[in-house]
């Protein structure tokens, strides 16, 4: 099986300098690509000087995570694409368990490894942890991470199990499936486009699994920090995008309930004096409603084949019932 490890870069020279060597050292047999998203720093010149054997793809514009990968992957021939963030340290033989999963299970389309925190290596990392899910209202959560509560890794998730979505920090997908799904939805720009991709894959009957025998360490927030209101905007807006496009059931009721729940989140930001995050939620909803006609058209082409949620409300479970750990759900 031919695996292409593809790192999307935007003005990330320092990250490439720090993390690319581990990818090269531990990815024997795979082709390694850096897809540059029209960087304004000297990332490309740095790569050509210091890593002359690395394949470089230069996108003409910075279309964000979604368009950046869509553009770059058109130029790559492989059985499996590994979409890897530039702020990731990989480990010895990290590709082997994933390759075996694909080899042994032709029905599996997407695989995610265990994602631990680079700065606290005994803990799971926010973006994906041990595999993701969404609740009825489209709020995401993970095994090993619910909202901002991160579990310590005690090998409790050293398994191979079905999940609903795989993290874009490190997502393996069969190239044929990526093309069949027409890649990422570029209207997302960045954040949660991988949830939408996985949701569409699920709706077409494809399987997604987590393999805890492969481990990576992710810094997280290297491009856009959790404290940045733009991330709040993208997360709230894009989760609504994915919900309307893909969710089974009465979407009007779901959106109205989400409006109430997002409003409560906004009030929480106000109480915490995080005014820009409060405004970001308002802007997210304005942007969402402006895109609604387009989203409803996309929804018409989606035929759900599976129940998409295990929990009705992860918000209620976490904040009211105080269930902070995945296994307590």
């Amino acid at each position: 099986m031919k695996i292409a490890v593809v790192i999307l870069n935007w003005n990330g020279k320092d990250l490439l300098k720090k993390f690319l060597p581990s990818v090269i050292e531990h990815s024997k047999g795979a082709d390694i690509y850096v897809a540059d998203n029209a960087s304004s720093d000297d990332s490309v010149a740095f790569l050509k000087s210091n890593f002359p054997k690395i394949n470089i793809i230069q996108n003409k514009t910075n279309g964000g995570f979604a368009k950046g990968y869509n553009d770059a992957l058109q130029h790559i021939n492989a059985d499996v694409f590994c979409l890897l963030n530039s702020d990731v340290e990989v480990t010895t033989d990290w590709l082997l368990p994933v390759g075996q999963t694909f080899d042994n299970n032709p029905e599996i389309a997407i695989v995610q490894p265990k994602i631990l925190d680079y700065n606290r290596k005994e803990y799971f990392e926010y973006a994906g942890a041990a595999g993701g899910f969404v609740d009825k209202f489209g709020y995401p959560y993970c095994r090993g991470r619910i909202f901002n509560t991160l579990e310590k890794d005690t090998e409790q998730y050293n398994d191979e199990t079905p999940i609903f979505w795989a993290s874009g920090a490190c997502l393996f997908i069969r190239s044929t499936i990526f093309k069949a799904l027409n890649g990422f939805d570029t209207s997302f720009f960045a954040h949660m486009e991988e949830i939408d991709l996985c949701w569409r894959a699920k709706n077409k009957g494809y399987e997604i699994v987590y393999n805890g025998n492969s481990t990576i360490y992710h810094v997280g927030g290297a491009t856009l920090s959790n404290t940045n209101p733009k991330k709040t905007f993208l997360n709230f807006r894009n989760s609504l995008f994915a919900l309307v496009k893909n969710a089974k059931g009465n979407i009007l009721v779901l959106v109205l309930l989400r409006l109430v729940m997002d409003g409560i989140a906004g009030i929480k930001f106000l109480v915490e004096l995080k005014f820009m995050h409060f405004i970001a939620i308002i802007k997210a909803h304005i942007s969402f409603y402006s895109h609604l006609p387009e989203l409803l058209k996309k929804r018409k082409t989606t035929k759900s084949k599976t129940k998409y949620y295990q929990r009705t409300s992860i918000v209620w479970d976490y904040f009211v019932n105080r269930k902070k750990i995945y296994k307590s759900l």
Side-chain angles (χ1 to χ4, degrees):
M1 176 170 291
K2 187 176 180 181
I3 297 177
V5 178
V6 189
I7 300 169
L8 190 67
N9 173 69
W10 181 69
N11 292 342
K13 173 187 170 182
D14 290 341
L15 293 174
L16 293 172
K17 183 177 181 180
K18 184 172 185 177
F19 293 105
L20 187 54
S22 81
V23 179
I24 295 171
E25 180 182 0
H26 298 304
S27 304
K28 300 295 188 293
D31 295 328
I32 302 173
Y33 294 79
V34 173
D36 186 75
N37 239 5
S39 293
S40 57
D41 68 0
D42 59 344
S43 295
V44 173
F46 168 77
L47 287 170
K48 289 179 178 179
S49 297
N50 294 275
F51 302 98
K53 294 184 180 180
I54 292 296
N55 302 290
I56 302 173
I57 298 172
Q58 293 182 256
N59 291 332
K60 295 180 179 179
T61 60
N62 175 22
F65 185 97
K67 188 176 187 300
Y69 267 121
N70 284 357
D71 291 347
L73 296 181
Q74 296 179 32
H75 304 288
I76 298 174
N77 180 29
D79 299 308
V80 171
F81 298 140
C82 170
L83 313 185
L84 186 70
N85 276 16
S86 59
D87 58 344
V88 167
E89 179 184 80
V90 303
T91 58
T92 304
D93 296 330
W94 69 296
L95 294 175
L96 291 180
V98 176
Q100 290 168 357
T101 295
F102 280 119
D103 282 336
N104 297 334
N105 304 276
E107 71 281 3
I108 289 175
I110 299 171
V111 179
Q112 180 199 300
K114 178 193 289 187
I115 303 178
L116 298 178
D117 190 328
Y118 176 80
N119 294 308
R120 295 194 306 162
K121 292 192 173 181
E122 70 274 23
Y123 284 87
F124 285 93
E125 208 276 319
Y126 183 90
F133 300 90
V134 295
D135 72 2
K136 186 174 183 178
F137 304 103
Y139 290 112
Y141 61 100
C142 304
R143 299 197 315 159
R145 189 274 293 176
I146 303 177
F147 290 104
N148 289 324
T149 298
L150 297 166
E151 293 182 38
K152 190 172 184 178
D153 177 26
T154 58
E155 301 187 351
Q156 69 273 41
Y157 303 121
N158 278 16
D159 55 3
E160 186 171 350
T161 188
I163 56 176
F164 188 77
W165 59 268
S167 170
C170 183
L171 183 150
F172 292 83
I173 182 169
R174 293 186 191 272
S175 59
T176 53
I177 305 301
F178 187 84
K179 293 170 185 175
L181 294 170
N182 295 315
F184 292 113
D185 183 337
T186 58
S187 67
F188 282 65
F189 185 77
H191 295 289
M192 296 200 181
E193 63 283 291
E194 78 270 43
I195 296 179
D196 173 69
L197 180 77
C198 291
W199 206 330
R200 286 186 282 124
K202 281 283 190 178
N203 281 340
K204 289 185 177 295
Y206 297 119
E207 293 188 25
I208 303 169
V209 302
Y210 160 85
N211 190 327
N213 297 309
S214 173
T215 300
I216 66 164
Y217 296 96
H218 182 220
V219 174
T223 302
L224 200 59
S225 167
N226 285 330
T227 61
N228 192 319
K230 186 174 182 180
K231 177 169 278 191
T232 299
F233 165 80
L234 289 169
N235 282 340
F236 275 84
R237 187 198 68 166
N238 289 353
S239 66
L240 283 164
F241 276 16
L243 184 72
V244 169
K245 284 180 59 181
N246 302 297
K248 186 177 181 179
N250 189 323
I251 197 62
L252 176 60
V253 172
L254 289 176
V255 169
L256 288 175
L257 289 171
R258 265 295 301 268
L259 177 62
V260 173
M261 298 168 78
D262 287 0
I264 294 171
I267 292 171
K268 182 175 182 290
F269 280 132
L270 275 181
V271 171
E272 296 170 346
L273 303 180
K274 297 178 179 178
F275 301 114
M276 296 307 296
H277 292 273
F278 170 74
I279 293 172
I281 292 179
I282 294 175
K283 288 182 176 179
H285 276 262
I286 292 173
S287 179
F288 162 67
Y289 295 123
S290 70
H291 285 85
L292 192 54
E294 175 190 351
L295 293 167
L296 291 174
K297 286 181 182 178
K298 292 177 180 178
R299 178 178 176 81
K300 289 180 179 179
T301 66
T302 300
K303 301 296 182 182
S304 178
K305 293 186 177 181
T306 182
K307 181 180 176 181
Y308 64 90
Y309 61 93
Q310 297 179 343
R311 314 297 305 177
T312 299
S313 175
I314 194 63
V315 176
W316 185 270
D317 288 335
Y318 184 87
F319 290 103
V320 179
N321 291 333
R322 313 299 293 177
K323 295 182 177 181
K324 306 288 187 178
I325 305 299
Y326 177 82
K327 289 191 174 180
S328 70
L329 296 175

